[in-house]
Amino acid sequence: MIEPLRSYNPFDILNSIYEFILDLIMGRGSSYLSNYFFDLYDKYGYSLILLSMFLSSALVVFIMYVIFRINGIYSKQRKSLSPIKNAAEEKKEETVKSEKWKIITEHIESENVNDWRLAILEADIILGEMLDKLGYRGEGIGEQLKSVDKSDFTAIDDAWEAHKIRNSIAHEGSSFLITEREAKRVIGLYKKVFEEHNYI
């Protein structure tokens, strides 16, 4: 005949565990502790198994909850910091573009013809950066301009004209003759392109 499961008072089990811990603190012998373990298991074995399973399950659930909460907090912090980071990056980028354009305007207002050429070369670099940011792909600015749809880029002809003059300066160097008026006109073409796309 199968012996029915016995029921135990949980406080009796906790009291036995307390006595066991107290024996450890008091420094009882190892043989005594071994016998104590066996007696404890023999008396409360099934209940201890259930209790350990319950505590283990509760611990796993608690750990999962903590991990979930940590991930949630981290995600919120990342989202809250993202707009600040993006705003800071945009502000930094605007500052860099403003500084570059300021240098170009200083060059074009110079009385030195070499500064005029340099202003056009630097403006063309900004044009390349703008085309990259707008998503136009190609080997060099010329290829990028070929992929432009005029409906999205009304100043495309101005960009082409300015870029061709830049190429002449790059290929001919100081032998390329340009007047102050023409240099300022070319910079005006670049400015028109940049302003259309709010790039300066």
Side-chain angles (χ1 to χ4, degrees):
M1 180 177 179
I2 300 175
E3 182 181 353
L5 293 175
R6 292 173 291 176
S7 61
Y8 302 102
N9 188 338
F11 291 102
D12 291 339
I13 299 175
L14 294 176
N15 184 61
S16 298
I17 295 174
Y18 169 76
E19 291 178 357
F20 173 71
I21 295 173
L22 184 62
D23 289 334
L24 287 177
I25 297 174
M26 297 298 294
R28 300 288 182 89
S30 59
S31 60
Y32 172 81
L33 295 178
S34 299
N35 293 332
Y36 196 90
F37 249 133
F38 285 117
D39 291 341
L40 186 65
Y41 181 78
D42 183 60
K43 188 176 181 180
Y44 302 112
Y46 187 74
S47 297
L48 285 175
I49 292 174
L50 291 178
L51 180 62
S52 63
M53 291 176 63
F54 171 77
L55 292 176
S56 298
S57 300
L59 181 60
V60 170
V61 172
F62 176 74
I63 292 174
M64 292 177 64
Y65 172 77
V66 170
I67 293 174
F68 176 78
R69 290 291 298 167
I70 291 175
N71 287 337
I73 293 172
Y74 176 74
S75 179
K76 287 182 179 179
Q77 289 179 339
R78 185 170 55 184
K79 289 180 180 179
S80 63
L81 291 176
S82 181
I84 298 175
K85 183 179 179 181
N86 291 338
E89 290 177 350
E90 289 179 1
K91 185 176 180 180
K92 182 179 179 181
E93 185 177 330
E94 290 296 327
T95 301
V96 171
K97 288 187 293 187
S98 297
E99 288 297 323
K100 288 182 178 180
W101 186 251
K102 181 180 178 182
I103 293 173
I104 290 173
T105 55
E106 289 175 354
H107 286 328
I108 203 64
E109 294 299 330
S110 169
E111 296 181 358
N112 189 332
V113 64
N114 289 326
D115 288 339
W116 305 341
R117 298 190 187 99
L118 183 59
I120 294 173
L121 294 174
E122 291 176 344
D124 201 71
I125 292 174
I126 296 179
L127 175 61
E129 294 173 351
M130 187 194 76
L131 292 172
D132 287 337
K133 189 167 185 179
L134 292 176
Y136 295 107
R137 298 290 176 261
E139 292 294 330
I141 294 176
E143 291 295 323
Q144 288 176 299
L145 291 175
K146 289 179 182 178
S147 65
V148 169
D149 188 338
K150 284 190 175 183
S151 61
D152 299 326
F153 204 128
T154 57
I156 182 63
D157 292 334
D158 296 319
W160 267 117
E161 183 179 356
H163 180 64
K164 288 177 180 178
I165 295 174
R166 174 267 172 198
N167 286 344
S168 297
I169 294 174
H171 295 153
E172 300 178 30
S174 58
S175 62
F176 180 80
L177 300 179
I178 188 170
T179 64
E180 181 179 3
R181 181 177 179 180
E182 175 65 5
K184 288 184 176 180
R185 186 187 73 83
V186 174
I187 292 300
L189 295 176
Y190 280 112
K191 184 178 181 181
K192 183 178 178 181
V193 172
F194 299 151
E195 287 179 342
E196 178 184 346
H197 298 280
N198 299 315
Y199 204 72
I200 60 171

